[in-house]
């Protein structure tokens, strides 16, 4: 699928830019938003370790800066032959801009790909709908 090839190419190009001198584990992420554009990010580590950021977080930031807010597909590619699934915090970050049908694509580095739906990677998630004012108003009314 050409669209998916393009997404993985963008994730690979982002991974090549990763700043991961502490873990030596470069990660690239590329997402296609509802607007059709691709936004990519790499992990950016820091000498103060917890300050580092994940590839997915930076791809999402690029999407938001571009004015998009809905993720249709996201590809994540790490180092080595094992596919990398987004960490727990990144699942939550992706969920914020996803639907249940958003696909999270992985590659094992040998060309074997698979994908998971958002709802399978983060079931029963807490999300923006939980904070919708009308919903909360109704439930909090004594
Ligand atoms: N990392 C990501 O960028 N995304 C993930 O989903 C998993 C982990 C990064 C964080 C850190 O820079 C390195 O991989 C090792 O954990």
């Amino acid at each position: 699928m050409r669209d998916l090839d393009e997404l993985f190419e963008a994730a690979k190009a982002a991974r090549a830019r990763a700043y991961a001198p502490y873990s030596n584990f470069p990660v690239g992420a590329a997402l296609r938003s509802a607007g059709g554009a691709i936004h990519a990010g790499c992990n950016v580590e820091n000498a103060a370790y917890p300050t580092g950021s994940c590839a997915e977080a930076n791809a999402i930031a690029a999407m938001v800066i571009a004015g998009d807010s809905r993720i249709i597909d996201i590809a994540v590619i790490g180092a080595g032959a094992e596919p990398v699934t987004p960490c727990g915090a990144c699942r939550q970050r992706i969920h914020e801009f996803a639907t249940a049908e958003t696909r999270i694509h992985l590659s094992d580095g040998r060309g074997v790909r698979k994908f998971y739906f958002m709802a399978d990677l983060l079931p029963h998630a807490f999300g923006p709908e939980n904070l919708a004012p009308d919903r909360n108003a109704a439930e909090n009314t004594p």
Side-chain angles (χ1 to χ4, degrees):
M1 188 176 146
R2 234 189 73 230
D3 282 2
L4 206 51
D5 289 342
E6 199 185 1
L7 206 59
F8 271 108
E9 281 312 309
K12 258 191 217 170
R15 183 183 61 182
R17 299 276 190 194
Y19 177 74
Y22 306 107
S23 71
N24 286 313
F25 193 82
V27 182
L31 65 86
R32 194 180 295 279
S33 60
I38 290 180
H39 306 283
C42 59
N43 53 336
V44 180
E45 298 184 347
N46 194 279
Y49 294 172
T51 311
S53 53
C54 283
E56 297 91 325
N58 293 327
I60 289 168
M63 175 189 74
V64 170
I65 290 162
D68 278 340
S69 58
R70 184 63 63 208
I71 301 171
I72 307 298
D73 291 284
I74 177 166
V76 182
I77 189 152
E82 286 307 306
V84 169
T85 52
C87 74
C90 283
R91 292 177 197 205
Q92 185 69 35
R93 291 187 178 108
I94 296 166
H95 177 266
E96 183 76 14
F97 301 100
T99 68
E101 289 79 36
T102 292
R103 290 170 295 253
I104 293 134
H105 301 269
L106 316 173
S107 165
D108 73 352
R110 289 184 297 257
V112 179
R113 296 169 180 177
K114 57 182 169 186
F115 71 84
Y116 296 101
F117 288 111
M118 183 77 247
D120 295 322
L121 279 194
L122 193 66
H124 314 292
F126 182 86
E129 59 285 354
N130 293 105
L131 299 180
D134 49 344
R135 178 181 168 138
N136 290 323
E139 283 165 16
N140 289 332
T141 304

